[in-house]
Amino acid sequence: MKHEPSRLEIYLTRLAFLFYGKSVYKTFADRLPLNGGENVLDFGCGMGTVAYYVAGKLPRGNLTCLDISRRWLNACRKTLRSYGNVIFLHSESLPQANESFDVIYCHFVLHDLSESELEIAIPALAKALKPCGLFVFREPLNSMGKINVIKRLTGQNNLILKDSRITDIPVMGNALESIYTKQ
Ligand SMILES: C[S@@+](CC[C@H](N)C(=O)[O-])C[C@H]1O[C@@H](n2cnc3c(N)ncnc32)[C@H](O)[C@@H]1O
């Protein structure tokens, strides 16, 4: 569903980032299996909460921040203004990406998409991954219906489950973190 945030929503998210940046977003960034030279996609980057920590882990690589909302993308540009290895893309460019990324991650994005949006997004993300590339997500565990749709679509798009765990995230509660490899 397309949603442009209000100024207040952006402001409150910045405030939450200030208080919970390390305990919520950095913990996810730290779990991404990165060596520093990868081409990485943040799908649904929002204001760049996770991207802020990932960009610094890619001294020889690149991070693409993608969102459906131009206001969130602009907020993300602000958050990441000190990094030279980041590009910003609107989501309509995703279908053109073909075997471009070593790692694609989604942080609290997929549960917000309807089943029909997931039917478009997951095949496009699988296509955008290089062979043997990694697809990583963290989604709230109370969205089990959505998680089952995601599991079906990953299976149908040659994404093989490599690792999965449940974590208790401050303020946000239990979440499922999964890593898939593209076959
Ligand atoms: C709950 S926010 C999470 C933002 C960020 N990943 C975080 O954890 O702070 C969900 C984000 O996904 C974006 N989004 C929703 N549907 C999308 C789609 N189809 N393609 C790209 N981004 C999308 C929204 O605009 C929003 O920025």
Side-chain angles (χ1 to χ4, degrees):
M1 192 175 63
K2 188 165 178 177
H3 170 66
E4 290 294 345
S6 64
R7 275 188 186 186
L8 180 66
E9 197 177 341
I10 295 175
Y11 173 77
L12 291 176
T13 306
R14 281 209 188 281
L15 212 57
F17 181 55
L18 213 60
F19 284 109
Y20 300 109
K22 285 205 170 126
S23 59
V24 175
Y25 306 105
K26 185 173 182 296
T27 53
F28 180 72
D30 286 347
R31 289 242 316 143
L32 294 172
L34 298 173
N35 293 320
E38 293 88 350
N39 206 10
V40 178
L41 173 68
D42 182 332
F43 179 77
C45 58
M47 60 149 274
T49 47
V50 176
Y52 178 78
Y53 295 106
V54 173
K57 293 178 181 290
L58 298 170
R60 303 174 308 284
N62 285 291
L63 175 63
T64 299
C65 290
L66 178 145
D67 206 285
I68 199 168
S69 151
R70 295 194 189 273
R71 286 194 109 178
W72 277 129
L73 262 187
N74 282 338
C76 187
R77 254 189 209 101
K78 254 192 197 168
T79 309
L80 288 143
R81 60 185 174 272
S82 58
Y83 290 101
N85 59 345
V86 185
I87 65 166
F88 301 90
L89 271 190
H90 188 256
S91 58
E92 68 201 8
S93 308
L94 182 60
Q96 279 110 61
N98 199 5
E99 299 194 349
S100 308
F101 298 102
D102 302 289
V103 178
I104 295 178
Y105 67 86
C106 308
H107 188 268
F108 277 77
V109 176
L110 299 175
H111 72 284
D112 263 352
L113 272 62
S114 67
E115 187 164 344
S116 56
E117 287 170 323
L118 287 170
E119 301 260 6
I120 295 170
I122 292 185
L125 292 173
K127 180 173 157 263
L129 264 183
K130 293 179 187 173
C132 301
L134 299 178
F135 175 59
V136 186
F137 66 75
R138 184 195 252 178
E139 296 294 336
L141 204 58
N142 59 10
S143 315
M144 264 329 276
K146 255 346 141 42
I147 285 174
N148 287 332
V149 174
I150 295 164
K151 282 184 180 166
R152 170 176 64 78
L153 288 167
T154 48
Q156 288 170 354
N157 287 279
N158 296 327
L159 297 169
I160 309 301
L161 185 63
K162 202 178 152 212
D163 192 18
S164 204
R165 67 169 199 166
I166 292 170
T167 45
D168 187 12
I169 308 169
V171 192
M172 293 166 135
N174 282 338
L176 177 68
E177 290 181 4
S178 298
I179 303 181
Y180 290 79
T181 312
K182 180 172 173 176
Q183 217 174 24

